[in-house]
Amino acid sequence: MQKSHIILVGFKHTGKSRHGSALARSIGYTFFDTDALIQDLDSTETRMKRPVREIFREDGEARFRQLETAAVSLAMGTETPAVIATGGGICDNAAAMDELS
């Protein structure tokens, strides 16, 4: 039987990352936090580790959504099953939501 990714979506600051990490550990899945992936992708380009709110505020929504879509694509592209905690505003990003389906 093929195992699937588990995707956590919900309002910001509701514990998706905390609970997702614990869930992944308990069932032996890899854990991805899309906000952390966004920071990693951004820091590759800027050489700075900025909070996601700062990336959104300073670079604008369009760039943030591009990074968010890329982060989701990276997490979804893994061959091993993963728990993926998304950012609180991901439902506003149609491209990222398409990647999740």
Side-chain angles (χ1 to χ4, degrees), residues 34-62:
T34 60
D35 283 349
L37 291 173
I38 289 168
Q39 288 179 292
D40 291 344
L41 291 167
D42 176 64
S43 68
T44 298
E45 295 176 18
T46 64
R47 304 282 193 258
M48 297 180 289
K49 187 80 167 196
R50 302 185 291 168
V52 291
R53 287 182 182 179
E54 187 175 313
I55 296 167
F56 189 97
R57 185 179 60 246
E58 291 182 2
D59 296 358
E61 183 175 1

Side-chain angles (χ1 to χ4, degrees), residues 59-77:
D59 296 358
E61 183 175 1
R63 178 163 187 277
F64 180 83
R65 298 297 178 201
Q66 288 173 339
L67 290 169
E68 185 174 51
T69 302
V72 167
S73 182
L74 283 171
M76 291 294 290

